[in-house]
Amino acid sequence: MATRRFDPDRRERIIDAALDVIAAEGVAGASHRKIAAHAGVPLGSMSYHFSGMDELLAEAFTRFGTSISDRFDERLGRAVGIDAARQAVVDLIHEDLLDSQRELVLTHELYTLAARKPEFRAITRDWMARSRRALGLHFDPVTCRMLDALIEGLSIHAALDAEPGNTEPHSDSEPSDSEPHSRARTAEAVARITTPALDSTTPDTTRKAAHE
Amino acid sequence: MATRRFDPDRRERIIDAALDVIAAEGVAGASHRKIAAHAGVPLGSMSYHFSGMDELLAEAFTRFGTSISDRFDERLGRAVGIDAARQAVVDLIHEDLLDSQRELVLTHELYTLAARKPEFRAITRDWMARSRRALGLHFDPVTCRMLDALIEGLSIHAALDAEPGNTEPHSDSEPSDSEPHSRARTAEAVARITTPALDSTTPDTTRKAAHE
DNA sequence: CAGTCATGTGTACGATCGTACACATAGGAC
DNA sequence: GTCCTATGTGTACGATCGTACACATGACTG
């Protein structure tokens, strides 16, 4: 049936190239031609493998979301006990999320698409559902949502609060920002969000029941 | 000195039109021509008033950030006492941030630019600094950072977790999502993040000293 | 009133874009 | 070997883009 001539993973390479080009120049700056050139395939291949830019973007960002989720799962899967889980979250933020310009850019490009087009919102929704499922190994569902949102916010603010000059967050008159301080503040935030408020209106269990 | 012929706020109208076009079609889909058409000015006006797209984008998003910050300031400025402040934050999220598709889209477009280009990061940095200053009327600096990040994360996740079909968040097997429940969860999250963890390593005051 | 200059506009050019479609070519059937 | 077809490619077209630049024109000067 399949009589692929050669290079059966052309499609995959095109998707990889698309992510590279988008990371470098944005969805705005990405064109069939640039992606084709970067992947080393002829222009005609683009329309042959993908019906249009939206299909390519959808596949590319689906792959991107999956690969991030995999790391998320892995870190949280390894943790045993609630303290290790909290530490895993801190590590995630500081080691995985904050260290890669590429991932920062791609994440925002995806969010921008998702904000406007429902078909991309399906991708972000699945990604978030996976994140919460991973957190659900250690925390109750309500806490998972809050914690997931906190992770998002801390990552974004750390990245977008950086000095225009370069990558790392800036210090104003405000709390100083050497790496250890920054980590400690993240740890404190994670501790707070995973600890029920005293006058809580919700039942109150933060940690998951022992089984499962 | 100034001998403006007529229509002295051409520039302003162009900036407004730019935001409209970007909200509708994204930075990717915005062109000098479309913006000019929407503003009702000739194409030549674009290059006359702005050196290029980046200058226009920078001015447009600066205005956008300022207008959001104004509302932020206003709500927090009106609150007296820490409980009112917490309530103001909840209201902010549910009434200002979640209700406008336009603002959601523009915010992400800005973040995407900021993720890639330092000159736009100056805009996000100022915006965040203003937010923290407003929160600083009621909370200590460390809490301000955490709370600001939480607000960001909750807003984003609420918007991007929506059913592909439409605007509002979806429910899975997870916590249900009618408006009052959603608000209560937000309130709980705000309460948690503004309450120091028991085993805190940081000194521990959450509320600001009485004076000022 | 005439002259002059800052202010603003219309048009045309070269670059780049996505897509369609006629064509090439490898691999299996016989 | 010879066909035949699924698979893949090169090219050319029309649309759209940003920008440059020659020109128009209102408003002040004298």
Side-chain angles (χ1 to χ4, degrees):
Chain A
M1 173 178 285
T3 42
R4 292 232 174 263
R5 199 130 89 223
F6 82 132
D7 201 1
D9 42 29
R10 259 254 204 298
R11 252 185 96 89
E12 306 304 306
R13 274 198 301 136
I14 292 174
I15 292 175
D16 288 340
L19 287 173
D20 285 347
V21 172
I22 292 166
E25 318 203 36
V27 168
S31 67
H32 283 186
R33 286 171 149 89
K34 284 181 191 165
I35 294 169
H38 192 274
V41 304
L43 176 59
S45 262
M46 291 290 128
S47 3
Y48 182 74
H49 287 286
F50 301 92
S51 71
M53 190 56 99
D54 272 13
E55 182 179 331
L56 176 51
L57 290 177
E59 293 214 31
F61 281 114
T62 298
R63 161 177 314 190
F64 174 68
T66 303
S67 81
I68 304 255
S69 285
D70 287 346
R71 287 211 316 251
F72 206 97
D73 280 359
E74 202 222 335
R75 274 201 195 264
L76 284 166
R78 270 211 301 261
V80 303
I82 195 154
D83 287 326
R86 289 198 251 240
Q87 186 57 47
V89 169
V90 174
D91 292 345
L92 255 168
I93 294 174
H94 283 263
E95 283 157 37
D96 288 353
L97 268 19
L98 291 188
D99 266 353
S100 163
Q101 170 71 6
R102 176 189 160 94
E103 282 169 21
L104 170 70
V105 167
L106 289 176
T107 300
H108 283 289
E109 294 282 356
L110 171 58
Y111 287 178
T112 299
L113 289 173
R116 197 187 326 278
K117 303 194 195 168
E119 65 264 33
F120 290 97
R121 224 170 298 146
I123 299 175
T124 55
R125 193 168 47 103
D126 289 351
W127 179 357
M128 284 166 47
R130 268 196 72 183
S131 297
R132 280 204 296 265
R133 186 144 32 90
L135 293 170
L137 295 172
H138 305 285
F139 306 98
D140 73 273
V142 169
T143 300
C144 286
R145 284 197 166 229
M146 297 174 186
L147 180 53
D148 196 28
L150 179 69
I151 292 168
E152 185 78 60
L154 286 173
S155 305
I156 290 180
H157 278 215
L160 266 37
D161 195 25
E163 279 300 347
N166 230 331
T167 328
E168 272 316 294
H170 91 126
S171 57
D172 224 20
S173 49
E174 307 286 294
S176 95
D177 252 325
S178 58
E179 234 292 287
H181 286 91
S182 166
R183 264 187 117 93
R185 276 191 283 113
T186 301
E188 167 73 11
V190 170
R192 286 189 190 181
I193 208 73
T194 57
T195 304
L198 302 173
D199 54 70
S200 172
T201 65
T202 61
D204 106 319
T205 44
T206 312
R207 47 203 81 192
K208 200 157 196 221
H211 58 82
E212 219 266 336
Chain B
M1 174 179 287
T3 42
R4 293 232 173 262
R5 196 129 91 227
F6 81 133
D7 202 0
D9 41 28
R10 258 256 203 299
R11 252 185 96 90
E12 306 305 307
R13 274 197 301 136
I14 291 173
I15 292 174
D16 289 340
L19 287 173
D20 285 348
V21 172
I22 292 166
E25 318 203 35
V27 169
S31 68
H32 283 187
R33 288 171 147 88
K34 284 180 191 167
I35 295 168
H38 192 273
V41 304
L43 176 59
S45 263
M46 292 290 127
S47 2
Y48 182 73
H49 287 287
F50 301 92
S51 71
M53 191 55 100
D54 272 14
E55 181 179 331
L56 176 51
L57 290 177
E59 294 213 30
F61 281 115
T62 298
R63 163 178 311 192
F64 174 68
T66 303
S67 79
I68 305 256
S69 286
D70 286 346
R71 287 211 316 252
F72 205 97
D73 279 359
E74 202 222 334
R75 274 202 195 263
L76 284 166
R78 270 210 301 261
V80 302
I82 195 154
D83 288 324
R86 287 199 254 241
Q87 186 57 47
V89 169
V90 174
D91 291 345
L92 254 169
I93 294 175
H94 283 263
E95 285 157 37
D96 287 353
L97 268 19
L98 291 188
D99 267 353
S100 163
Q101 171 70 7
R102 176 189 160 95
E103 282 169 20
L104 170 70
V105 167
L106 289 177
T107 300
H108 283 289
E109 293 282 355
L110 171 58
Y111 287 178
T112 299
L113 288 173
R116 196 187 327 278
K117 305 195 194 167
E119 64 264 34
F120 290 97
R121 224 170 298 146
I123 299 175
T124 56
R125 194 169 46 103
D126 289 350
W127 178 357
M128 285 165 47
R130 268 196 73 182
S131 297
R132 279 203 296 265
R133 186 144 32 90
L135 293 170
L137 295 172
H138 306 284
F139 306 98
D140 72 273
V142 168
T143 299
C144 285
R145 285 197 165 229
M146 297 173 184
L147 180 53
D148 195 29
L150 179 69
I151 292 169
E152 185 78 61
L154 287 173
S155 305
I156 291 179
H157 278 215
L160 266 36
D161 195 25
E163 280 299 349
N166 231 329
T167 329
E168 271 315 293
H170 90 126
S171 57
D172 226 18
S173 51
E174 306 286 294
S176 93
D177 252 324
S178 59
E179 234 291 288
H181 286 90
S182 167
R183 264 186 117 91
R185 274 191 285 112
T186 301
E188 167 73 10
V190 170
R192 286 190 190 179
I193 209 72
T194 56
T195 305
L198 302 174
D199 54 69
S200 173
T201 64
T202 61
D204 104 322
T205 42
T206 312
R207 52 203 76 194
K208 197 152 198 220
H211 58 81
E212 218 264 337

